[in-house]
Amino acid sequence: MTKATRGSLLSIEPLGAAEILGLLSIARRMNPLKARPLLRGRRVLLLFYEPSTRTRSSFEIAAQSLGAMTTLVLSSGSSIEKGESLLDTGYTLRAVGADVLVIRHPHAGAPLLMAKHLDIPVINAGDGMHEHPSQALLDAYTILQHKKTLKGLQVAIVGDIYHSRVARSAIHLLSKFGARITLCGPPELVPELAANLASGLQITRTAEEAVHGADVVTVLRVQKERLAGMKISLQDYIARYQITIARLKLAKRDAILMHPGPIIRGLELTSEVADCPQSAIVEEVRNGVPVRMAILAKALGKAG
Ligand code: NCD
């Protein structure tokens, strides 16, 4: 980490296991309903160039629970629409008093660019097809509420992995702790990249094989328009890859079902699966708050 990016959370890839476990243990001490005002008087600027429900609301609630002030800037309705550059927007938000910047952007590397030019910590809330580090942390936190350790866990990730920053961050995190990961989906959405194979990831084209014996089944959003553009019929995707109760039964009896959201019921998973007792989807959303409290407190040097 350079001096300029100190305190920032830009990606999971460079983090060590101890740093990740440290953040998770700070998160376990955070209670959004009875939080100490560790960030009183601090200003958290949320800059979102892409739609978001969970990430945006939980960062905002996390910051406010710690006593910080928050301001949300969306690309629509701001000077970004008038053509202002990313860095000029960053300098503007710093000038109005931002102490930390949370940014979601369609281009990979946008948070890094901000962190290099601003003298405040920058938190990546999802950048293009690159990473979504806070999601990987809240997912690890959720898994560890159900499983003793990540080591040796069998994790199946099914859906549009190629375009998914959630998958990339999850793979980086889980691999550091010795989880065994199987990726599943059609070749257009789960290509056999040399990098995947080199890092020991398994790839399978059948949902049954991916889910068989899994401890964790993570389902990712699939976009209808993307399937259409790749000439994959909806019916074919559903027939081969949709996670149904019958397929979920192939996983371990105590397996958990995860999805970062937004979920499209009837496409990548059935409604019954989304709502079944094994589903941890709502827990993931809830855990987003303490995990993001930990991230913000650490960024501002207030995590103790
Ligand atoms: C994801 C994202 O935006 O990367 N959602 C999220 O933050 N929970 C996943 C997606 O949009 O499919």
Side-chain angles (χ1 to χ4, degrees), residues 67-130:
M69 282 183 269
T70 59
T71 300
L72 175 66
V73 176
L74 302 175
S75 47
S76 63
S78 72
S79 292
I80 296 161
E81 269 194 333
K82 300 179 185 171
E84 186 166 70
S85 77
L86 178 66
L87 280 180
D88 284 326
T89 301
Y91 295 139
T92 300
L93 299 181
R94 177 66 182 116
V96 297
D99 294 302
V100 58
L101 183 67
V102 178
I103 174 171
R104 167 168 288 193
H105 197 280
H107 295 153
L112 173 64
L113 184 74
M114 286 292 216
K116 280 187 170 160
H117 286 86
L118 300 179
D119 58 349
I120 53 172
V122 174
I123 313 293
N124 178 5
D127 62 331
M129 286 164 55
H130 176 224

Side-chain angles (χ1 to χ4, degrees), residues 1 8-21 23 131 133 137 172-173 176-177 298:
M1 210 177 288
S8 295
L9 177 65
L10 302 172
S11 52
I12 294 292
E13 191 175 8
L15 300 185
E19 213 170 334
I20 292 169
L21 294 176
L23 269 166
E131 281 222 34
L137 289 165
H172 283 306
L173 192 154
K176 289 178 199 287
F177 291 93
K298 177 138 190 262

Side-chain angles (χ1 to χ4, degrees), residues 128-191:
M129 286 164 55
H130 176 224
E131 281 222 34
H132 193 345
S134 62
Q135 181 72 40
L137 289 165
L138 75 89
D139 283 338
Y141 183 93
T142 305
I143 295 172
L144 289 169
Q145 286 182 327
H146 293 266
K147 310 285 169 196
K148 283 196 194 73
T149 167
L150 300 175
K151 193 169 167 57
L153 272 194
Q154 201 172 315
V155 181
I157 309 181
V158 187
D160 183 357
I161 288 154
Y162 180 66
H163 297 97
S164 175
R165 53 198 177 204
V166 174
R168 239 168 295 284
S169 289
I171 291 166
H172 283 306
L173 192 154
L174 293 168
S175 310
K176 289 178 199 287
F177 291 93
R180 289 171 294 142
I181 305 167
T182 302
L183 310 179
C184 178
E188 296 85 342
L189 301 180
V190 188

